[in-house]
Amino acid sequence: MMWLLLFTLTALLVLLPMLPAWLEWRWPSDVVPLHIDTLDALDPAYLARSFAEQLAGALAHGRNRLGRSRLAAVPSLGSWLLTKTEQREGASRTVWHCSGDLRLPPDADLLAEVAATGDLHTAAGRIYRALWAGRTLRLAPHTTVLRWAHADRVDVPRHCRLAGRISAERLLTVSSGVSFSLLHAPVVQFGQVADSRQAPPSPGQRGTPLRRSLGLPPEVAWDAVAGRGTCAHTLRVGPARAWRGDLVGQADLLLGRGCVVRGSLKANGMLQADDGCRIIGNLVATGRIELGAHCVVLGAVVSETAVEIGPGCVVGAIGAPATVTAPRIVVAAGVVVHGTLWAGEQGSTLADPAQPAALHGQSDAADDDDGNPQQVWA
């Protein structure tokens, strides 16, 4: 009998934690799928626009609360009517709004939304939940934004931490030493942009179609009907080559300096474009994507690992926005992105525009001892 009792107790210890899961499987109670707001998913500025609409409605009806938060106007003289608790804690959870320009106090974190119809200036080293400005939003150094910020123009100086969505109707400038999660604007400019940066290739520019007569190695299969080439091994493209057609590599794909591609590139590994490459298409890779200096990409840049953008690069174009997305994104100075940068884990900007530390130097398409390119095609 003792062994039977021990067996029963052991079975109870093993099976009892599984009972709730079995009951849910046998008689499901949560049969409604999770709600996904498609507008929120497709529009990076959705939270900001939704807040602006709610604020306008609350003010029109004379309410003194917005959701669960107290709603208060900043007096015209700019004095902040903080409660004794807010003064003691150095933080306010009131939703503040102002008609005109607004400069935030230097001695308080604002952990609810703040709105100004004119320009909005933050204080250095403070933490903010969400910021909305009708004209220009100027963050001070070492500012932290937890959820979102939006304005016609947003200026981000050095050493800010942007944990939420930062969006602008017209222009978003980002300095060095900034960490970010999501940036979105028609023009996202990183540091100073040289006037002499390369212009995107015109839609009418054409390269040379890929053909076996151009030296396509036997391991690369070219489908003339689909306009696509495939390779089962690491592929190194020589410098200054131009072609039309998509290219799919089952391993690393490395482009030499100054290549022009009218088509998309996909690599089941690392995808690297050396300085001055131009791609009129998308870049997709399971490994790291590296863009050398002054590359131009008219399409999305998507990696399952990381994206590293060298100085002077341009991604997307006015009227043709693009998306850069990866778990990690590193951006050098002088880069312009038209559209969205979305880092799943960590986005950052480099401090040294001349030699980005996170980029890995020259292209791996190195020459051999005789000065001849290794495994180069087309």
Side-chain angles (χ1 to χ4, degrees), residues 108-122:
D109 297 331
L110 303 183
L111 304 182
E113 291 82 356
V114 180
T117 59
D119 295 344
L120 178 59
H121 301 255
T122 71

Side-chain angles (χ1 to χ4, degrees), residues 51-373:
F51 162 77
E53 293 175 0
Q54 294 179 40
L55 177 62
L59 296 178
H61 291 85
R63 303 191 190 108
N64 60 1
R65 300 193 70 83
L66 188 63
R68 298 182 179 180
S69 300
R70 183 171 72 98
L71 178 61
V74 179
S76 58
L77 296 179
S79 59
W80 289 81
L81 303 179
L82 300 179
T83 65
K84 292 183 178 179
T85 300
E86 290 173 338
Q87 294 176 13
R88 183 176 62 254
E89 295 179 351
S92 171
R93 291 172 174 79
T94 298
V95 176
W96 295 96
H97 67 92
C98 172
S99 179
D101 298 341
L102 180 61
R103 188 173 296 274
L104 303 185
D107 55 352
D109 297 331
L110 303 183
L111 304 182
E113 291 82 356
V114 180
T117 59
D119 295 344
L120 178 59
H121 301 255
T122 71
R126 305 313 307 195
I127 300 174
Y128 304 99
R129 170 183 167 86
L131 303 168
W132 185 91
R135 290 199 295 264
T136 299
L137 170 60
R138 290 188 171 91
L139 303 183
H142 300 279
T143 293
T144 297
V145 178
L146 298 177
R147 196 174 186 202
W148 58 263
H150 182 80
D152 179 67
R153 169 175 176 159
V154 179
D155 293 333
V156 182
R158 293 172 177 265
H159 308 304
C160 287
R161 177 176 173 265
L162 311 176
R165 309 177 183 189
I166 311 300
S167 57
E169 295 290 340
R170 183 171 52 90
L171 174 64
L172 170 56
T173 65
V174 185
S175 187
S176 60
V178 172
S179 64
F180 65 87
S181 176
L182 189 151
L183 306 175
H184 172 80
V187 179
V188 184
Q189 177 178 310
F190 295 86
Q192 295 296 322
V193 176
D195 294 335
S196 60
R197 68 180 184 272
Q198 287 180 305
S202 63
Q205 180 176 351
R206 294 186 177 275
T208 303
L210 289 175
R211 298 182 186 275
R212 191 168 298 279
S213 61
L214 294 179
L216 192 65
E219 62 267 24
V220 176
W222 174 250
D223 186 338
V225 176
R228 180 175 61 247
T230 59
C231 181
H233 308 288
T234 295
L235 188 60
R236 304 175 189 269
V237 180
R241 309 306 300 179
W243 71 88
R244 286 181 287 116
D246 300 334
L247 188 57
V248 180
Q250 298 303 320
D252 296 343
L253 178 55
L254 314 172
L255 270 62
R257 184 186 301 264
C259 287
V260 177
V261 183
R262 188 178 178 84
S264 296
L265 304 177
K266 183 176 181 180
N268 188 22
M270 182 177 70
L271 197 162
Q272 184 184 72
D274 208 341
D275 297 353
C277 288
R278 297 183 177 189
I279 300 97
I280 310 176
N282 302 318
L283 303 182
V284 181
T286 59
R288 186 176 65 251
I289 295 179
E290 297 180 7
L291 298 180
H294 304 289
C295 287
V296 174
V297 180
L298 295 185
V301 181
V302 181
S303 168
E304 296 181 12
T305 306
V307 171
E308 300 173 351
I309 307 177
C313 288
V314 178
V315 179
I318 296 295
T323 298
V324 179
T325 182
R328 295 183 298 108
I329 299 176
V330 179
V331 186
V335 170
V336 174
V337 175
H338 301 278
T340 304
L341 297 98
W342 189 354
E345 297 175 3
Q346 179 67 59
S348 59
T349 61
L350 294 174
D352 183 3
Q355 185 62 43
L359 297 177
H360 297 275
Q362 301 296 322
S363 168
D364 288 340
D367 292 347
D368 60 20
D369 294 337
D370 298 328
N372 299 317

